[in-house]
Amino acid sequence: MKIVVDTHTHTVASGHAYSTVQEMAREAAAKGLEGFVITDHGPALGGGPHLYHFGNMKVIPEEIYGVRVFKGVEANITDYSGNIDMPDEYLQRLDFVIASFHEICIPPSTVEEHTNAMVNVLKNPLVDAVAHPGNPQFQVDIDRVVKAAREYGKLIEINNQSFYIRRGSEENCKKFIALCKELSVKVVCGSDAHISFDLGKFDKVLKLFDELEMPGDLFVNSSMEKFTGYIGRMHRV
Ligand SMILES: [Zn+2]
Ligand SMILES: [Zn+2]
C-alpha cells in the first residue's frame, strides 16, 4: 500500500516550519509522491500566517515539478462549540481543510467537551478532516467521533508525526483505525512535515495499517483519483 498524496504539510508560512513550497514540491517529486496539500496553521497559532496568506494561494501553480499542489489549511479549533479560526469565505477557496486542537490555542478540558467540539467540526461542511484526533492531551470519545465522521461523510486523519511527538497517541490511533475499519469510515494519512525531508513519511501509519489489516479502499489518499474524487464532491468556489 502506498500513499500518493500527503494531506498534511507545513511550509515556512507556519512560522515554525522550515521549507518553501518549491522545496516541498521538489522533495515530493524526488520521493515519487503525486501530490501534497499545503496545510499551514490557521492565524490563531502564534507565528501562523495572516488570513491574506490563504486568500492569495491561487498564485501557487497547480503543479510544480510534476507534482500536484493542493491548497489547504490546518485550522485551529478555538472553542468547545467547534468554531475554528478561519472565516468561511476563505475556506471556500481552498482545496482541503483539516482542523485540530492545539494547546496553545485552546486549553484542554474534558472528554465530553473535546468530543462535542470535534463532532461539530466534522459537521462543518467546509471541513474535510480532523487532524491528529488521537492526541491524548485532547482525549475524545472515539466512538462518537468516528460515527460523526460517518454521518457527515468526513475523514479521520492518521498522523504520522503523532507517533513521534504526541506521546500516548498510538493507543488512540489504533482504536481510531479499528473503528474506521469496522464502520467503513474513510481515513487520510498526513506526515505533518514541518520540513521537506519529512514529507511523505508514513512509516508508523503504514505499519499500524498493516498490523490492523486496514483495507486499502478506506485510505482516500492512496490514489490521486480517489483523493480528487473526494475533494471534488465538496462545495468549493
Ligand atoms: Zn497540528
Ligand atoms: Zn500540522
Side-chain angles (χ1 to χ4, degrees):
M1 183 48 66
K2 205 177 162 215
I3 304 298
V4 300
V5 181
D6 190 340
T7 54
H8 188 156
T9 73
H10 297 272
T11 74
V12 281
S14 282
H16 59 275
Y18 309 95
S19 302
T20 62
V21 171
Q22 202 166 337
E23 287 162 346
M24 297 292 271
R26 195 182 300 130
E27 181 78 6
K31 285 185 172 157
L33 282 174
E34 293 176 26
F36 66 100
V37 190
I38 305 166
T39 52
D40 282 306
H41 291 289
L45 199 136
H50 189 275
L51 274 179
Y52 297 164
H53 163 90
F54 300 99
N56 199 33
M57 290 185 94
K58 59 183 180 298
V59 304
I60 302 169
E62 271 191 24
E63 203 177 292
I64 306 175
Y65 304 127
V67 172
R68 277 288 295 275
V69 183
F70 297 97
K71 289 101 193 201
V73 61
E74 180 179 12
N76 295 290
I77 303 172
T78 50
D79 63 35
Y80 286 109
S81 309
N83 285 306
I84 55 175
D85 62 343
M86 289 282 296
D88 287 358
E89 60 270 32
Y90 283 84
L91 296 177
Q92 280 160 353
R93 290 184 235 169
L94 299 175
D95 300 312
F96 195 68
V97 174
I98 60 179
S100 59
F101 285 121
H102 292 112
E103 212 183 354
I104 311 159
C105 300
I106 183 167
S109 177
T110 61
V111 171
E112 172 83 15
E113 284 210 300
H114 303 155
T115 308
N116 290 342
M118 211 174 265
V119 166
N120 283 336
V121 165
L122 287 164
K123 201 175 191 176
N124 182 338
L126 294 168
V127 173
D128 298 292
V130 280
H132 48 75
N135 184 359
Q137 271 191 315
F138 291 92
Q139 186 64 45
V140 290
D141 177 337
I142 295 173
D143 194 67
R144 273 186 63 204
V145 169
V146 174
K147 283 179 177 158
R150 181 177 64 174
E151 183 177 349
Y152 304 117
K154 300 300 179 62
L155 309 171
I156 297 292
E157 180 198 85
I158 307 297
N159 183 297
N160 202 71
Q161 192 78 350
S162 285
F163 299 97
Y164 293 98
I165 61 165
R166 294 179 197 93
R167 287 168 66 92
S169 289
E170 185 157 350
E171 280 314 302
N172 282 336
C173 290
K174 276 186 183 165
K175 287 181 192 153
F176 267 108
I177 295 168
L179 204 57
C180 285
K181 180 181 162 186
E182 188 187 323
L183 301 177
S184 294
V185 169
K186 295 202 162 60
V187 301
V188 273
C189 317
S191 70
D192 206 356
H194 282 65
I195 191 158
S196 60
F197 309 112
D198 285 337
L199 194 83
K201 192 175 170 197
F202 301 115
D203 55 335
K204 300 282 188 185
V205 176
L206 291 175
K207 190 169 162 274
L208 218 50
F209 280 178
D210 202 38
E211 274 172 34
L212 299 171
E213 297 175 347
M214 182 67 166
D217 61 340
L218 291 181
F219 329 167
V220 165
N221 51 346
S222 62
S223 87
M224 181 59 81
E225 199 187 345
K226 266 201 280 182
F227 183 68
T228 52
Y230 175 81
I231 63 174
R233 34 160 252 167
M234 300 293 286
H235 298 283
R236 304 285 191 221
V237 289

